Structures are given as C-alpha cells and as structure tokens.
C-alpha cells in the first residue's frame, strides 16, 4: 500500500530509517533495561522487597548474566565492560567525596571509601555505555577511514580520565583534551551499513550524538532521584547542558576501551558503495 502511495525511493528511505531505529534500540538494550528499572523503582518503590539501589544492582547482574548466557554479549566484551564498570566506580567514589553529586537513598550493596559512598549499581550505568558501543560496532559493521593510531587514542583516554580527578586541584585541561581529540579524530569517518545502503558520518559527530542521548538519560535518572546534583537537592531541574562536555570526554574513554576488543577495521574501498 505504501509503495503505491509514495515514490519507491521514499519507501526505501523510510524502510532504511526504520531499520536504523530497530538496530539502535537493539544496541541500547542494556542501557534501556537499566533505565526502565530506574524509572519503575521510582514509581513503584512499595513493590520492592529490598532497598531500591540494591534491587537495581541485582537487576543489572541479571541483565548481564542473561546477555552472556544467550550470547547477546561476548565474553571479551563483558571483560571490557567490567573494566569500564571498575573505572566508572572509581570515578564515582571520588566525585561523591568531592560533592559533585550524591546518591540520596540508603542501601546495603554499596562501596564507601576515600570519603565517597556509591551504590554498586551505579557502575553499571557506565557499563551500559560500553555495552551499547560494543553492540553497535557489530550490529552496524563499522569500518573507518583515517583512523588514528590506537596508541595515541589510549594516551588521550588516560589523560581524560586523569583530568576528571586532577581538575579539582590543578588547572582543568579539558579544552586541550577537546583540541587533541579533534586533531586525532578530525579526519576520521565511520562507515556503517543499516540495511540496503552503506552510510558514513564523522566519528566526532557520532560521539556527540551518543553523548547527547546519555545527557537525556541522565535527566531521567536525576528526575527519578536515582542520583542528584547539588542544585537539584531542593527541587529537580534539568542537568546543565555544560555536562555534555564531560559526557563527550567520557564517550572517548568508552570508545577506546571498546576498540581494545573490536579493532577498528579500515574501509575496503572495493566494497564501499
């Protein structure tokens, strides 16, 4: 019916767009399930037999285990996600100690050290980003042109992570980190196949779009009081758009970790159409 009413090129384009949305939803499955758990536990806390944060931790373990058992996630990918979980939890401990944000509810399954206090489900929010990136690489068959040397990207990721800590005591070098990222990835294009056609996008733009969706998810998380920034303690307000810069840099760390499992493939010009 649609083919009769619309031009064939438009039908193909809409079908491609629909396939893109389905594949993106599939890649977001871990993060989507985590966000669904956060929302559900905020609206129906009386249905929980244990503390909300403890339930979310067990919920995340159930998701991760089911992904491995059903082979939706590969063991090597799970290892990288575990590393990102540890990296994220370490940063959470430091940031909560510094008062950057707070987890207002009580729980048993949490880590308290170095002046910080973090429920362990929080690390899975970082792991969800890694899971999304790893699944996207496979789902869309990523290939790259002008990809920078991996050793250089690892150095950038280390500098970004260190700056998340040191900027509380030393000058913040994030502007320089943005510039270095632009130098390394400025010429890089990611080529991906949705269904019929292969598309391309500047990799830096892809990082920005993912960071934007993480920022939107963070607004949902804070609206449900899963965690709160200091200016939200007296009443919820949108997370400052300035946080996009932090999420953009975090995206770069996440991506570099994923490339340790999925080595970036250079585009085969003979296959590109």
């Amino acid at each position: 019916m649609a083919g009769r009413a619309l031009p064939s090129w438009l039908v193909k384009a809409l079908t491609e767009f629909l396939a893109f949305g389905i594949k993106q939803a599939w890649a977001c499955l871990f993060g989507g399930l985590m966000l669904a758990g956060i929302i559900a536990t905020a609206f129906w806390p009386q249905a929980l037999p244990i503390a909300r944060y403890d339930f979310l931790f067990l919920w995340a373990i159930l998701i991760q285990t089911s992904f491995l058992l059903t082979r939706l996630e590969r063991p090597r990918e799970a290892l990288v996600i575990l590393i990102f979980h540890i990296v994220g939890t370490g940063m959470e401990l430091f940031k909560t100690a510094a008062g950057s944000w707070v987890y207002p509810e009580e729980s048993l399954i949490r880590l308290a050290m170095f002046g910080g206090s973090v429920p362990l489900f929080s690390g899975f929010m970082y792991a969800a980003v890694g899971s999304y990136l790893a699944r996207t690489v496979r789902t869309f068959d990523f290939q790259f042109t002008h990809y920078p040397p991996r050793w250089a990207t690892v150095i950038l990721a280390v500098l970004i992570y260190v700056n998340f800590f040191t900027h509380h005591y030393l000058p913040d070098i994030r502007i320089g980190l943005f510039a270095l990222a632009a130098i390394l990835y400025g010429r890089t294009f990611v080529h991906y196949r949705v269904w019929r056609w292969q598309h391309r996008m500047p990799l830096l733009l892809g990082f920005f779009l993912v960071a934007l969706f993480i920022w939107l998810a963070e607004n949902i998380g804070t609206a449900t009081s899963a965690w709160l920034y200091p200016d939200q303690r007296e009443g919820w307000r949108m997370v400052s758009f300035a946080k996009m810069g932090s999420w953009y840099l975090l995206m770069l760390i996440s991506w570099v970790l994923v490339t340790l499992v999925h080595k970036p493939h250079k585009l085969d010009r003979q296959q590109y159409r």
Side-chain angles (χ1 to χ4, degrees), residues 129-178:
V129 178
S131 175
Y132 166 77
L133 291 174
R135 290 163 65 83
T136 300
V137 169
R138 288 192 283 111
T139 303
F140 289 94
D141 188 25
F142 278 7
Q143 298 181 73
F144 301 90
T145 51
H146 304 296
Y147 196 86
R150 279 200 295 173
W151 63 264
T153 66
V154 170
I155 291 175
L156 173 63
V158 171
L159 289 175
I160 291 172
Y161 188 68
V162 170
N163 187 65
F164 276 128
F165 296 87
T166 58
H167 83 86
H168 287 274
Y169 312 105
L170 300 173
D172 190 347
I173 63 170
R174 72 179 59 200
I175 299 299
L177 295 172
F178 287 133

Side-chain angles (χ1 to χ4, degrees), residues 14-199:
L14 291 174
T15 304
E16 190 85 353
F17 182 75
L18 178 61
F20 177 80
I22 292 172
K23 283 190 170 185
Q24 282 289 341
W26 181 248
C28 290
L29 189 57
F30 190 110
L33 290 173
M34 281 298 300
L35 196 60
I38 287 173
I39 295 172
T41 54
F43 282 97
W44 296 284
Q46 66 278 4
L48 299 176
I50 56 177
R52 179 191 185 194
Y53 293 161
D54 295 339
F55 175 85
L56 289 172
F57 173 78
L58 297 177
W59 174 239
I61 292 292
L62 177 63
I63 297 171
Q64 185 68 78
T65 302
S66 64
F67 274 27
L68 288 171
L69 291 177
T70 57
R71 298 184 180 180
L72 293 179
E73 209 158 69
R74 299 172 181 176
R76 288 182 64 197
E77 292 173 347
L79 177 60
V80 170
I81 290 169
L82 174 62
I83 294 172
F84 197 37
H85 186 291
I86 295 171
V87 167
T89 301
M91 188 169 69
E92 287 278 329
L93 280 169
F94 181 84
K95 291 295 187 178
T96 53
S100 298
W101 56 80
V102 65
Y103 291 89
E105 300 181 27
E106 297 294 328
S107 63
L108 294 175
I109 307 176
R110 66 190 304 128
L111 190 61
M113 56 192 306
F114 308 126
S117 181
V118 181
L120 290 186
F121 91 89
S122 64
F124 282 101
M125 300 306 296
Y126 295 86
V129 178
S131 175
Y132 166 77
L133 291 174
R135 290 163 65 83
T136 300
V137 169
R138 288 192 283 111
T139 303
F140 289 94
D141 188 25
F142 278 7
Q143 298 181 73
F144 301 90
T145 51
H146 304 296
Y147 196 86
R150 279 200 295 173
W151 63 264
T153 66
V154 170
I155 291 175
L156 173 63
V158 171
L159 289 175
I160 291 172
Y161 188 68
V162 170
N163 187 65
F164 276 128
F165 296 87
T166 58
H167 83 86
H168 287 274
Y169 312 105
L170 300 173
D172 190 347
I173 63 170
R174 72 179 59 200
I175 299 299
L177 295 172
F178 287 133
L180 182 56
I183 292 171
L184 287 178
Y185 293 105
R187 297 174 62 232
T188 305
F189 274 77
V190 56
H191 300 255
Y192 58 97
R193 183 171 294 279
V194 177
W195 185 26
R196 287 189 175 92
W197 304 311
Q198 194 169 23
H199 309 265

Side-chain angles (χ1 to χ4, degrees), residues 183-242:
I183 292 171
L184 287 178
Y185 293 105
R187 297 174 62 232
T188 305
F189 274 77
V190 56
H191 300 255
Y192 58 97
R193 183 171 294 279
V194 177
W195 185 26
R196 287 189 175 92
W197 304 311
Q198 194 169 23
H199 309 265
R200 73 171 191 161
M201 174 190 296
L203 187 56
L204 288 175
L205 175 59
F207 290 153
F208 173 80
L209 292 175
V210 176
L212 177 62
F213 277 97
I214 295 173
W215 176 77
L216 293 172
E218 186 178 34
N219 274 284
I220 296 174
T222 55
T224 60
S225 298
W227 64 92
L228 294 171
Y229 287 101
D231 64 347
Q232 296 174 325
R233 298 297 297 273
E234 301 301 324
W236 184 81
R237 61 179 68 185
M238 288 190 68
V239 176
S240 170
F241 196 72

